[in-house]
Amino acid sequence: GTGLMSLPEAILLANGDHVNSSIIFDQTVFTTPKTIIETTPAATLSDIPSGNLSIADFYYRVSAVTVNGETGASPEAHIRTTFGFNENTVAIHWSAVPGALSYNIYRGTSTGGERLLATVSAPTVSFSDDGTRTIAAQQTTTFGSRASH
């Protein structure tokens, strides 16, 4: 066997039963737990009067990529650009996530409709969306599946 005891067996042993038994601990179970990052903090947005984005509503999310994979995305941030037609840039800023190697920035034109816009390397914690990058129409992202609860 593995040398591991079930919880009922361990309780019996602790209560004095099986006094001639010995317990062999699997050391891999007792290693230091890893910190799990559920989500990236919310991004802050600002509209800048230059660029190629039109007057519209834009929704953004940011996620960190660590050695363990992509974290859950940040809460959705919304902005309505207000400068002239095709004259807007959205500046996106977020807080650093410990252990992040890079960040994925997602943009959509409807709530919950964000798709990957760009990836930036850490320690960068900002991105300017001037509307010149295109998003693949067929790409889909489900943010709810990334976060652990």
Side-chain angles (χ1 to χ4, degrees):
T2 63
L4 296 176
M5 300 182 76
S6 69
L7 187 55
E9 288 173 326
I11 291 169
L12 286 173
L13 182 62
N15 286 331
D17 293 338
H18 306 288
V19 291
N20 294 324
S21 299
S22 61
I23 301 173
I24 300 171
F25 290 101
D26 180 355
Q27 293 300 314
T28 61
V29 174
F30 297 97
T31 59
T32 305
K34 294 181 180 178
T35 301
I36 298 172
I37 302 167
E38 291 188 3
T39 47
T40 303
T44 57
L45 309 175
S46 56
D47 190 10
I48 300 170
S50 66
N52 296 307
L53 289 173
S54 61
I55 297 173
D57 289 296
F58 292 99
Y59 300 84
Y60 293 88
R61 291 181 187 250
V62 177
S63 66
V65 178
T66 69
V67 294
N68 296 317
E70 187 173 16
T71 66
S74 66
E76 187 174 73
H78 168 258
I79 191 168
R80 177 152 180 86
T81 53
T82 57
F83 297 106
F85 180 75
N86 291 340
E87 295 179 4
N88 297 276
T89 292
V90 175
I92 308 155
H93 300 275
W94 59 91
S95 297
V97 171
L101 303 173
S102 61
Y103 296 94
N104 290 331
I105 299 98
Y106 297 86
R107 178 185 74 199
T109 54
S110 62
T111 185
E114 296 89 352
R115 293 195 165 101
L116 183 63
L117 172 67
T119 299
V120 297
S121 296
T124 302
V125 290
S126 64
F127 179 77
S128 293
D129 179 10
D130 62 4
T132 58
R133 292 182 183 241
T134 57
I135 299 173
Q138 71 275 11
Q139 178 199 358
T140 59
T141 303
T142 304
F143 292 106
S145 66
R146 286 203 173 95
S148 301
H149 297 288

